[in-house]
Amino acid sequence: MTRILVVDDEPQILRALRINLAARHYEVAVAPDGASALRAAVDATPDLVILDLGLPDLDGVDVIHGLRGWTTVPIIVLSGRAGNQDKIEALDAGADDYVTKPFGIDELLARVRAVTRRTAIQEAELATIELGDHVIDLTSKTVSGDVRLTPTEWHILELLLRNPGKLISQRQVLTEVWGSRFVKETHYLRQYMAQLRRKLERDPAHPEHLITEPGMGYRFTP
């Protein structure tokens, strides 16, 4: 079941979207402001975010930047701001689509289906990735050569593989994998990255693909 996080400070919109999405067999979480949205994105790991720009605590564009710091989850912006500049800022920040209020529920649902389809295609393209002597299947969560990974190892590896060439900060990995309370526990990362290199790199002492950027984070180099 597709999990959708709806972020809006208008209770009637949250209620209407929750009812309509649930009726179409989506799993729905809601958040009334930017701070709770960022927490919910970590805790609920949604497959899609529907985000209002006009939030009481944070601007929606700032929320997009916050999400894009560590996740590629699709974002549909829902806003009463009709100006092109607002749309451009939201899309440049990393939103995938933009729906202007007032809106029809059928239009929004069509946008949800379209974004979900695009994401599924991208997922299929990323289904198998070569890393050294191994082929990693992200769909079935298998590694050639009968390599076994723990759930935490998979979570870290998948975050890196889905962002090839991109530096993923230590904070981003810790937040994504363990939650925001663990952002200072960098020794967790060092331990798990060492385990991943032992299992996947030809020469774990001199990795070619799972690269550490000292003091910053990690990068997957294809």
Side-chain angles (χ1 to χ4, degrees), residues 14 18-19 25 28 41 64 69 81 104-105 107 125 137 141-142 144-145 158 162 172 183 187 205 211 214 218:
L14 286 182
R18 190 208 299 264
I19 291 171
H25 308 293
V28 185
I64 297 171
R81 304 176 188 177
I105 190 66
E107 177 191 3
E125 292 173 348
D137 189 321
K141 294 190 181 299
T142 57
S144 64
E158 187 168 357
R162 292 190 184 282
Q172 291 164 13
V183 294
H187 61 284
I211 308 300
Y218 302 94

Side-chain angles (χ1 to χ4, degrees), residues 82-93:
N84 283 337
Q85 189 57 40
D86 292 310
K87 295 180 182 179
I88 291 169
E89 289 180 4
L91 294 170
D92 283 347

Side-chain angles (χ1 to χ4, degrees), residues 3-5 39-48 70 73 155 176:
R3 297 182 300 276
I4 298 180
L5 171 62
R39 290 193 297 269
V42 173
D43 296 337
T45 58
D47 301 302
L48 176 72
W70 60 273
V73 62
H155 204 161
E176 168 75 6

Side-chain angles (χ1 to χ4, degrees), residues 122-139 142-144 154 157-158 160-164 200 209 220-222:
Q122 292 168 355
E123 293 280 344
E125 292 173 348
L126 283 172
T128 58
I129 295 174
E130 292 186 7
L131 196 162
D133 296 325
H134 302 284
V135 176
I136 299 168
D137 189 321
L138 295 178
T139 301
T142 57
V143 182
S144 64
W154 266 113
L157 182 63
E158 187 168 357
L160 294 172
L161 295 187
R162 292 190 184 282
N163 295 276
L200 300 174
H209 304 286
F220 165 57
T221 301

